[in-house]
Amino acid sequence: MEGIDHRMVSVNGITLHVAEKGPKEGPVVLLLHGFPDLWYTWRHQITGLSSLGYRAVAPDLRGYGDSDSPESFSEYTCLNVVGDLISLLDTLFAGDVFLVGHDWGAIIGWHLCLFRPEKIKGFVCLSVPYKPRNPKVKPVQGFKAVFGDDYYICRFQEPGKIEGEIASDPRRFLRSIFTGRTLGPPILPKNDPFAENPKPDYESIELPKWFSKEDLDFYTSKFDKTGFTGGLNYYRAMDLNWELTAPWTGAKIQVPVKFMTGDFDMVYTTPGIKEYIHGGGFAADVPNLQEIVVIEDAGHFVNQEKPREVTAHINDFFTKLQNKNKSF
């Protein structure tokens, strides 16, 4: 990670930590992480994209890492977070940018494309496809009806509850999230939500080659300082997002999009998602959806598991868009 610059930037009433690398005159690629993650998830892409001439920029989103963490979940709506990003772009750069998002970073990316499409030249979305607002049911109610009370988003709703369960062993929680390969909708049983890494000997289980002890140490050290409430507040604001985005009911995403996922991704293997992605529904909601890529033998954190392949796909898409724009 040599050569990555770090700075603190005042945006939208808070301060964000931003990691970046690449030539100042290079096309900007804004990289958005998810939960429970940090700018660090993009370490391979920052290095790879900067070597190709891009200016790779990866913030810790509000509530994460070295960025500020407002207290109330009501300060983690899509409007708040997109507001942070617009302020960041206006502060640091002129013009539009390329966008890459994973997990919650993908969800925020969709909202950024929806609210301010003129700012985005192209969007590479990892893992979470666009799902338009359903005016008939709030998100949490819908998830509970389909997947039950132990569905992870439902379990994350009560402030302090899941934090208390994580607090007994945050390292185990992080290891379970990053290295787990359970397919389908994530379920967190109340008796032992992180059983994939059994106690007390989970540290004796070898980590996958793509996720080292040093990586786990980095994440653990950051979340030991901040806790997980900031990241969990994104889930607690989901119903509030539903209320705030009523004016965009039925709106479609108009920017050029490339979608990527791992074939073992927990989102991709959730019932109904493959059918939506490949059956025409996704393309109907995102008319400028140009590519869908399913990477073999990869789980949810495909950008970390298959870094070279993902970086190559990102560069290929953005290069095509740049060449297309030059031809006009």
Side-chain angles (χ1 to χ4, degrees), residues 31-52:
L31 301 151
L32 306 180
H33 69 79
F35 175 87
D37 220 331
L38 302 162
W39 72 268
Y40 186 81
T41 195
W42 302 113
R43 58 197 180 279
H44 305 297
Q45 283 72 41
I46 291 173
T47 300
L49 291 171
S50 64
S51 72
L52 294 168

Side-chain angles (χ1 to χ4, degrees), residues 114-165:
L114 184 64
F115 300 155
R116 298 297 300 272
E118 81 282 2
K119 290 283 189 179
I120 308 302
K121 292 189 283 190
F123 179 30
V124 173
C125 174
L126 305 183
S127 178
V128 183
Y130 179 64
K131 292 291 285 184
R133 180 181 184 274
N134 181 350
K136 296 181 179 180
V137 61
K138 290 185 176 183
V140 176
Q141 176 187 349
F143 289 132
K144 187 175 293 187
V146 175
F147 300 119
D149 291 342
D150 286 347
Y151 184 59
Y152 77 111
I153 290 175
C154 301
R155 292 271 276 114
F156 286 175
Q157 293 303 306
E158 183 180 347
K161 178 68 174 177
I162 196 69
E163 288 96 325
E165 296 177 24

Side-chain angles (χ1 to χ4, degrees), residues 17 34 42 45 86 97 114 122 130 137 155 209 220 249 304:
H17 163 251
W42 302 113
Q45 283 72 41
I86 293 298
V97 302
L114 184 64
Y130 179 64
V137 61
R155 292 271 276 114
K209 292 181 180 179
T220 303
T249 300
Q304 297 194 48

Side-chain angles (χ1 to χ4, degrees), residues 23-84:
K24 299 301 182 183
E25 68 281 2
V28 175
V29 179
L30 180 64
L31 301 151
L32 306 180
H33 69 79
F35 175 87
D37 220 331
L38 302 162
W39 72 268
Y40 186 81
T41 195
W42 302 113
R43 58 197 180 279
H44 305 297
Q45 283 72 41
I46 291 173
T47 300
L49 291 171
S50 64
S51 72
L52 294 168
Y54 296 96
R55 184 179 179 184
V57 179
D60 283 332
L61 297 177
R62 65 165 57 201
Y64 287 96
D66 295 322
S67 293
D68 285 348
S69 297
E71 290 187 12
S72 172
F73 78 86
S74 65
E75 297 180 87
Y76 290 82
T77 70
C78 54
L79 296 180
N80 293 114
V81 184
V82 170
D84 296 344

Side-chain angles (χ1 to χ4, degrees), residues 2 48 75 90 121 150 156 193 224 230 238 246-247 257 268 275 294:
E2 291 183 4
E75 297 180 87
D90 288 346
K121 292 189 283 190
D150 286 347
F156 286 175
D224 277 347
M238 291 182 81
V257 172
Y268 185 62
E275 291 79 4
V294 180

